[in-house]
Amino acid sequence: MSITTQTTLAELISLGIIKPAQLDTWNRRLERGAERKADSLSQERCHQAVAFYLGATFKPGFENRFRKKPIEKALLSSGISRSMMDKSIKHLVELGHLVNNAELVNNQCHTRHWIPEAE
């Protein structure tokens, strides 16, 4: 007997090539992949919500700098957690849509963000 694309899992199990427990492992991998995809989609929506909130609430410029806590409190009712918001702000900083003073302060509590002014 040879294995082809038409060979069923039941035949592979009966031949001893795979164990029945392997099916559970594969199903768990599929579930994890689906969870990761859902988390990624949720984080993308969070990026948009945080960017919209910041644009609607804060004006550009260093004098309009802000902390994360008020943003967290405002968006918590929308189902956005602190960790999701942190990832979104980090993403906006990486893209250059936000600036922070993290390299100038010794304590994370003193970090402030602001929207850069258009040049």
Side-chain angles (χ1 to χ4, degrees):
M1 172 167 197
S2 64
I3 297 173
T4 66
T5 56
Q6 305 301 319
T7 307
T8 65
L9 288 174
E11 292 171 342
L12 293 174
I13 290 171
S14 68
L15 292 171
I17 294 175
I18 64 170
K19 296 180 181 177
Q22 186 66 40
L23 298 177
D24 295 333
T25 303
W26 290 338
N27 284 324
R28 282 194 303 271
R29 285 182 188 169
L30 286 173
E31 289 171 11
R32 282 195 306 266
E35 288 172 3
R36 273 190 233 110
K37 188 173 183 177
D39 289 346
S40 176
L41 183 60
S42 179
Q43 187 63 53
E44 284 299 318
R45 281 190 233 129
C46 178
H47 289 337
Q48 293 174 359
V50 169
F52 178 78
Y53 177 79
L54 293 176
T57 308
F58 300 103
K59 294 180 179 163
F62 178 77
E63 62 279 352
N64 297 311
R65 56 194 181 272
F66 52 87
R67 299 178 318 132
K68 290 181 184 178
K69 191 69 167 180
I71 302 165
E72 174 190 6
K73 287 184 176 183
L75 296 177
L76 190 60
S77 63
S78 300
I80 296 175
S81 68
R82 172 70 184 227
S83 63
M84 290 174 69
M85 188 227 17
D86 284 342
K87 289 176 188 174
S88 293
I89 289 181
K90 183 178 178 183
H91 180 71
L92 289 170
V93 169
E94 289 171 356
L95 292 176
H97 300 303
L98 282 181
V99 182
N100 65 30
N101 63 344
E103 68 279 348
L104 302 175
V105 296
N106 293 329
N107 188 335
Q108 282 282 53
C109 296
H110 298 167
T111 300
R112 301 293 182 263
H113 293 81
W114 63 92
I115 301 170
E117 294 184 54
E119 296 177 5

